[in-house]
Amino acid sequence: GGVLDCTVLDIEPGKTLSYSWDYAHADAAFNLKSIVTFTLTPTAAGTHLRVEQSGFQPHQKQAFGGARHGWQQFLANLEQVTGRID
């Protein structure tokens, strides 16, 4: 239903943010306990953002595909927004 229980696990200002992403679901294929980590690395052109979500089980291929699609959309939108900042 769009509600996720999350807990911040690690934060290093300007470097990393890591949090749990837990989604309780009766179907084991969607009952997800994962960790999302954002890592910022300075580059000559600006900053490189790495987003990693771990914790998917082999039987959660559909949940993994949904997350991959969602992150691709989110990051494309983020790129559009940051591209307008000067």
Side-chain angles (χ1 to χ4, degrees), residues 6-11 17-22 34-37:
C6 300
T7 302
V8 173
L9 302 172
D10 184 39
I11 189 165
L17 170 64
S18 181
Y19 59 90
S20 66
W21 178 304
D22 299 340
S34 67
I35 296 174
V36 175
T37 303

Side-chain angles (χ1 to χ4, degrees), residues 1-5 21-34 59-60 62-63:
V3 175
L4 301 169
D5 292 321
W21 178 304
D22 299 340
Y23 181 71
H25 197 282
D27 184 339
F30 297 98
N31 188 35
L32 182 61
K33 290 188 176 282
S34 67
H59 63 277
Q60 296 179 314
Q62 189 173 358

